[in-house]
Amino acid sequence: MAGSSVAFASPAVSAPMPVRTAAAPAFTAGLCEGTEYTPSEQMLDISGIRLDHFNDGNIVPMYGTTDRGTSAAVDAPVCGVRDVDGIAKSEWMYCTDFDLDPCAGVDENGLPVDKHNDEMGATVPSSGNPDLSADDLAVISWLLQNPAKLDGVVSGNGSEDARSARQTLVWCVSDYDNPLMADFKSLCDRNIGDDERARIVEIMNVTQTLDLVRKTPATGTLKAGETAVFTLNTNMYRKPINVQSSAGTELTVCGDNAKATLSANQLTVDGRGDAPTAVDLCLTAADGGDYSVTASVIPDSVENLHWNTAGAQCQVFASFDTVRPALMNASASVGYAAAPTTTPATTTPATTTPATTTPATPVVPIVPIVPIVPIVPIVPIVPVVPVVPGAPVPSQPVATPAAPAPSAPKPATGPRPVAIDGGAAEQNSGRNVAVAVTGLGLVGMAAAGAVALRRKRS
């Protein structure tokens, strides 16, 4: 597959959550992301009237971002739990009315109360904050889905400081003209002034795209160790995009990509407007096979937020839906040719033959030729003793030969013999043997300085 792309048009309005149809039993809710203290068991206990609210499809406020507030008055944002497709999901809820009561406390019996300990009804879903414009809703939606900076502190849900920065940025949009925010206008202007808000509105109104294609090589395969280049095109600016490559490969930003940074698996592209920016990503593989690059991101949309309120005197909260939004995905792949696995028989191995390996050249052992020595049988010599007339002839011992004994010689009757002829015999050794042996070659807000004011109701 050479590549794929997707587009996502940002809708303008969020919708209330559907009512739950199956009742859940009482339970202890989980903590919201980055909670830095231990809430009481009472805060987390979802039973009684709170369980009824949960089973009706409403969010149940539990505790504030810090432990400095009393049970009846909590610091924003507020952690609430609700049912999302059968999952009890705890999410941070951000206030969008600076001077109204969060209405997120609980009394000694765990019942929801306002700051005066007056019992409250359910915190029900809402289509948004009616006091905000469409652009305000779009900017707040973007702020709850993306990191932004407030005097150097990066906003988010992961810590008290990060949440404080995010809540202040939200108030800079929802309550910029509120008299109670007058002391914070300069802070808002520095961090989310008119130009930045206009940039965010552009992002939320464009058709968001994510496209990934193979650039080099456009076709065919690569050799192991060569570099493949993929091009990602997107107009989702300043939004972390998750990019991954196949195991055993390294992915980097390459080429002229001054507007893109890659940290771990998070790619961030700078820009604005509808036109996408192209970013080259390089991949290198050391072995043969098919390798891929994937990119995924949750597109920015106001429908990714869940809005809720407990009544006219209470805050309208906005929380990011961490379960429902679908990912945008794009991917592309490239093949690397496998290295040869066998060596042709006619090819001399490139490696040096180890000393312990039998030499490739046949060795014929030399068998020495044993000289043939003639074997001469030993013939016994019997001495001849002359006979003297008149004298007795003494008896003589006779030698026993190794070979069959010849007949005893008769006494000489004629002249004395002068010699006895011997015989000779030859013996040959077996044939020579030659042995041939062939050898084989083996071939990886700090508090942002903003003070959240609450106006006490008398």
Side-chain angles (χ1 to χ4, degrees), residues 86-122:
I87 300 172
K89 192 66 182 177
S90 299
E91 298 170 339
W92 288 108
M93 308 187 299
Y94 287 84
C95 294
T96 59
D97 295 288
F98 185 75
D99 57 346
L100 294 182
D101 188 349
C103 301
V106 293
D107 65 12
E108 64 275 7
N109 298 314
L111 299 177
V113 294
D114 63 12
K115 63 185 177 182
H116 303 293
N117 278 294
D118 297 327
E119 187 173 330
M120 299 297 303

Side-chain angles (χ1 to χ4, degrees), residues 270-285:
D270 194 14
R272 64 183 300 172
D274 194 33
T277 295
V279 178
D280 285 344
L281 301 171
C282 288
L283 174 148
T284 303

Side-chain angles (χ1 to χ4, degrees), residues 382-385 393-399:
V382 179
V384 178
V385 180
V393 180
S395 61
Q396 298 291 334
V398 179

